[in-house]
Amino acid sequence: MHLRYPVIAACLLLAGCTAEPSTTIPSPPPNASRPPAATLAPKSPSKPDPAFIPPELAKYCHAGFPLEGVYSPQRLTVKQPCVAVTGIASEIDREHDGDMHISLTGVDPKWLNSVNRGRSDQSLVIEAVPSIPMRMPPLKSRVTIVGPWVLDTQTGWLEIHPVWAILPA
């Protein structure tokens, strides 16, 4: 077969190979493990902030993305990437997504907002995720919880989610 216009054919072939693809990369599903950048707190310092966690408990903090392993992380806004909060494990329930919810009562009020204070037990919500195995504390025990302090934008309350450590207090 003989081409009449070999220069035009070569240009078309070359243009087809170097053109930008017209399709876009699809967005990740809503339950992907990394939320949009807007939901993350400003870049955290390299070491945990001693105003939020005592130095002796900082070893329980995780480096990197604080919401790793969380179902639908885009609903959470990180307030502090690692905190330690002490209170009473007054209620423990399993949620539909496999998380274990602990109602932590008797906490310092600085960890609560008006939505937390409006809960019947005025608790800080604690969520342990299945991807980070955790032994649940005995009911009514006094514990210290370590993990990211976040705002759940769907419920409006503050919580620690996920839990990185549950320690006797």
Side-chain angles (χ1 to χ4, degrees), residues 22-94:
S22 61
T23 59
T24 58
I25 298 172
S27 298
N31 65 348
S33 66
R34 186 172 285 279
T39 64
L40 292 174
K43 186 173 176 166
S44 61
S46 59
K47 294 181 181 177
D49 187 339
F52 294 97
I53 185 159
E56 66 273 12
L57 297 179
K59 65 184 176 188
Y60 297 104
C61 297
H62 290 200
F65 181 56
L67 302 179
E68 195 66 45
V70 171
Y71 176 78
S72 296
Q74 70 278 2
R75 77 186 191 281
L76 303 177
T77 301
V78 176
K79 307 289 278 174
Q80 280 295 319
C82 188
V83 300
V85 180
T86 299
I88 306 296
S90 62
E91 189 175 328
I92 302 173
D93 296 304
R94 182 173 300 281

Side-chain angles (χ1 to χ4, degrees), residues 2-156:
H2 185 283
L3 291 175
R4 291 190 126 156
Y5 304 100
V7 172
I8 294 174
C11 287
L12 287 174
L13 180 63
L14 185 59
C17 292
T18 60
E20 292 285 325
S22 61
T23 59
T24 58
I25 298 172
S27 298
N31 65 348
S33 66
R34 186 172 285 279
T39 64
L40 292 174
K43 186 173 176 166
S44 61
S46 59
K47 294 181 181 177
D49 187 339
F52 294 97
I53 185 159
E56 66 273 12
L57 297 179
K59 65 184 176 188
Y60 297 104
C61 297
H62 290 200
F65 181 56
L67 302 179
E68 195 66 45
V70 171
Y71 176 78
S72 296
Q74 70 278 2
R75 77 186 191 281
L76 303 177
T77 301
V78 176
K79 307 289 278 174
Q80 280 295 319
C82 188
V83 300
V85 180
T86 299
I88 306 296
S90 62
E91 189 175 328
I92 302 173
D93 296 304
R94 182 173 300 281
E95 293 296 307
H96 72 282
D97 60 2
D99 290 358
M100 292 298 291
H101 270 209
I102 302 170
S103 291
L104 198 65
T105 57
V107 301
D108 185 321
K110 74 180 182 184
W111 302 112
L112 307 175
N113 64 13
S114 60
V115 178
N116 294 89
R117 288 188 293 276
R119 291 171 54 89
S120 63
D121 59 2
Q122 299 188 359
S123 65
L124 180 64
V125 176
I126 308 299
E127 291 201 42
V129 298
S131 61
I132 304 172
M134 195 72 49
R135 175 172 279 166
M136 289 298 104
L139 200 57
K140 308 295 183 197
S141 62
R142 186 166 174 76
V143 294
T144 297
I145 306 290
V146 178
W149 184 42
V150 302
L151 171 67
D152 186 319
T153 61
Q154 290 179 346
T155 63

